[in-house]
Amino acid sequence: QVQLIESGGGLVQAGGSLRLSCAASGRTFSGLAMGWFRQHPEKEREFVAGISWTGRSTTYTDSVKGRFTISRDNPKNTVYLQMNGLKPEDTARYYCAAQTYWGEHVPRIGYTSWGQGTQVTVSS
């Protein structure tokens, strides 16, 4: 089982930027597809972005395309989410997730390990 710890959340004005980090430990980072999810209060958790274990493939939900970028540094066992052009509707708790997946396809479901989350609040 992999342990995930997120950081980098905070309060930012609309149009601003934040970079979230997720540090993994407990097993090798190889073979782990990584994802970022978010959850608004009283709403279901939604997929935001994902990256294959090689870092060569990424996928995003439509509402963040062109604004958010997911990346990973495998030697550092860390995945990032660069968020630019933030909007009030991006306000949510953001979670890092992992699953063993050796293919280049980036899954949007089936994640088995989760972090505790980091809060992102965007003021208008």
Side-chain angles (χ1 to χ4, degrees):
Q1 189 80 354
V2 60
Q3 288 79 48
L4 304 171
I5 299 177
E6 304 96 335
S7 61
L11 173 64
V12 65
Q13 289 189 332
S17 298
L18 284 174
R19 188 176 82 154
L20 306 184
S21 299
C22 172
S25 63
R27 58 148 285 178
T28 179
F29 210 43
S30 294
L32 284 179
M34 301 296 296
W36 285 97
F37 291 73
R38 65 187 180 189
Q39 187 166 19
H40 305 270
E42 302 178 2
K43 291 187 179 181
E44 291 187 357
R45 191 172 298 184
E46 65 169 342
F47 176 84
V48 176
I51 188 167
S52 63
W53 76 276
T54 63
R56 290 197 291 264
S57 299
T58 59
T59 190
Y60 301 89
T61 193
D62 287 346
S63 62
V64 308
K65 284 180 181 177
R67 299 189 298 123
F68 291 11
T69 302
I70 188 170
S71 62
R72 65 191 294 159
D73 186 336
N74 283 354
K76 293 185 178 180
N77 287 2
T78 302
V79 64
Y80 304 97
L81 186 67
Q82 177 67 44
M83 304 186 295
N84 299 328
L86 283 161
K87 304 176 180 180
E89 52 264 42
D90 295 318
T91 294
R93 191 162 186 85
Y94 283 71
Y95 297 87
C96 176
Q99 65 171 285
T100 300
Y101 197 91
W102 288 94
E104 276 306 315
H105 167 74
V106 182
R108 294 180 177 233
I109 61 172
Y111 288 83
T112 54
S113 297
W114 295 84
Q116 294 299 305
T118 185
Q119 180 67 33
V120 171
T121 303
V122 184
S123 63
S124 57

